[in-house]
Amino acid sequence: MSTEPHLYPGPPAAESPPHRGTPDEPEAARQALIALREEVGKAVIGQDAAVSGLVVALLCRGHALLEGVPGVAKTLLVRALAAALSLETKRLQFTPDLMPGDVTGSLVHDTGTSRFTFREGPVFTNLLLADEINRTPPKTQAALLEAMEEHQVSVDGAPRRLPVPFAVIATQNPIEHEGTYPLPEAQLDRFLLKLTVPLPPRDDEIRMLAHHASGFDPANLDAAGIRPVAGPSQLAVARDAVRAVAVRPDVLAYIVDLARTTRAAPAVALGVSPRGATALLATTRAWAWLSGRGYATPDDVKALARPTLRHRLTLRPEAELEGVTADTVLNQVLATVPVPR
């Protein structure tokens, strides 16, 4: 059973107009983002929780790591989301021979002018799909650090700003370890959320096959009928609204208590840092706003605790040998820490 949060409440907008570049009011922006479920569902069936998580990441100006076995539509999910949000997306296949310049871009000598000109890499886009990010060496993984933290890249000492909005959505396979380079803690910490993409339930898998039997082509999203229901202007309005969500002192204390309790857990070698607690605050506010409220509750914290914190825990080797996972620890922490009334 998936531990990801269910899609935010509220009916999807039946007829949201295409994005025309003019800012909408916060409620109109919220309804447009809610309508993403229906649009992405035209191509990807049964992954509402992953859609929710990606929207939360975008609202918080964060990045997301999608983990799932091959064939669960991780790449298709990102492409469909970008199409429904009127955002440019580029896919970069991470391989052992990929170089940092292949990600960020590099200086190229122009024989006509005898000068070096900068050729942009695929990171210059709105949504960068870093496919199988753990298949490339640490040096190339590190090429994304500045982009993810500062939203810029530096080549030959010159910083170059990335487009707005910008987000990295990376994928990795949880079961294949040969030929991979596990992401270091510093890299994992740059991801706001780690979302699990599970195998679909039987009924959803039947619907999926019926979808393909009726002529669905994953390579042609236009034919699937996906239309833009939101765009950069709605996303900007939504981000401002999320920052205005009120959080009571007792909810702030609840977030801190959760983080501090992970540090004392017997199975944990390194618990959630203050940056992790700040990330949980951000995702909690985004979830509250998507739910139609101007204030956050402990239930919002609970809904986002696992995807926000699971990749920020370092387990002791003996605990991993016993089958303990980060979600196991977080379930125990959520059951132990008193919830404010």
Side-chain angles (χ1 to χ4, degrees):
M1 184 176 179
S2 174
T3 57
E4 305 305 322
H6 293 290
L7 195 82
Y8 29 89
E15 289 295 334
S16 296
H19 168 59
R20 293 186 172 86
T22 58
D24 293 331
E25 293 299 319
E27 180 56 26
R30 189 179 78 87
Q31 290 298 330
L33 292 175
I34 288 174
L36 284 174
R37 172 178 58 182
E38 185 177 347
E39 291 305 309
V40 176
K42 293 176 181 178
V44 182
I45 295 172
Q47 298 294 355
D48 285 351
V51 176
S52 302
L54 293 179
V55 172
V56 167
L58 288 172
L59 287 175
C60 299
R61 295 173 172 81
H63 313 280
L65 177 62
L66 298 178
E67 185 174 85
V69 298
V72 290
K74 298 186 294 295
T75 301
L76 180 60
L77 174 61
V78 177
R79 291 177 51 234
L81 181 71
L85 281 172
S86 299
L87 297 178
E88 181 190 44
T89 183
K90 293 180 181 177
R91 176 179 176 272
L92 181 59
Q93 182 66 48
F94 279 70
T95 58
D97 59 349
L98 195 72
M99 300 298 291
D102 298 328
V103 179
T104 61
S106 57
L107 294 174
V108 178
H109 186 258
D110 187 337
T111 56
T113 62
S114 297
R115 295 180 179 179
F116 284 93
T117 58
F118 179 68
R119 180 177 296 170
E120 293 183 349
V123 74
F124 286 86
T125 187
N126 296 127
L127 295 183
L128 175 66
L129 174 58
D131 210 1
E132 296 186 292
I133 190 173
N134 58 336
R135 285 196 171 277
T136 200
K139 182 177 181 180
T140 305
Q141 292 175 3
L144 281 176
L145 287 177
E146 182 185 10
M148 295 172 72
E149 186 69 17
E150 306 293 338
H151 288 203
Q152 69 177 30
V153 296
S154 297
V155 177
D156 197 31
R160 292 173 169 83
R161 299 297 299 177
L162 296 173
V164 178
F166 169 74
V168 174
I169 303 176
T171 71
Q172 67 178 19
N173 182 346
I175 61 174
E176 193 171 5
H177 300 291
E178 186 174 350
T180 62
Y181 304 84
L183 294 175
E185 284 75 12
Q187 182 89 34
L188 281 172
D189 202 43
R190 295 301 193 279
F191 288 100
L192 181 71
L193 298 172
K194 180 181 178 182
L195 304 167
T196 59
V197 184
L199 291 168
R202 181 175 182 272
D203 289 345
D204 284 342
E205 198 162 359
I206 292 174
R207 288 174 53 211
M208 189 185 308
L209 290 184
H211 197 35
H212 282 264
S214 64
F216 170 68
D217 181 5
N220 189 354
L221 293 182
D222 290 336
I226 295 180
R227 61 193 178 92
V229 294
S233 63
Q234 285 94 341
L235 190 57
V237 169
R239 286 173 166 181
D240 289 339
V242 166
R243 284 199 296 265
V245 170
V247 187
R248 300 193 316 266
D250 59 340
V251 177
L252 292 176
Y254 181 51
I255 293 173
V256 170
D257 289 342
L258 290 175
R260 293 178 67 87
T261 302
T262 65
R263 301 169 199 166
V268 174
L270 183 63
V272 175
S273 68
R275 181 189 290 178
T278 302
L280 183 53
L281 170 62
T283 58
T284 294
R285 295 172 94 174
W287 190 256
W289 182 80
L290 283 170
S291 301
R293 284 179 279 102
Y295 59 91
T297 69
D299 284 340
D300 298 323
V301 177
K302 288 182 176 181
L304 272 297
R306 297 177 188 86
T308 307
L309 303 180
R310 61 164 60 107
H311 56 298
R312 305 176 195 273
L313 297 179
T314 302
L315 300 179
R316 297 186 185 278
E318 58 270 25
E320 290 186 289
L321 289 174
E322 294 174 0
V324 176
T325 65
D327 278 13
T328 305
V329 173
L330 291 172
N331 289 339
Q332 294 171 347
V333 169
L334 289 168
T336 302
V337 176
V339 180
R341 295 183 178 179

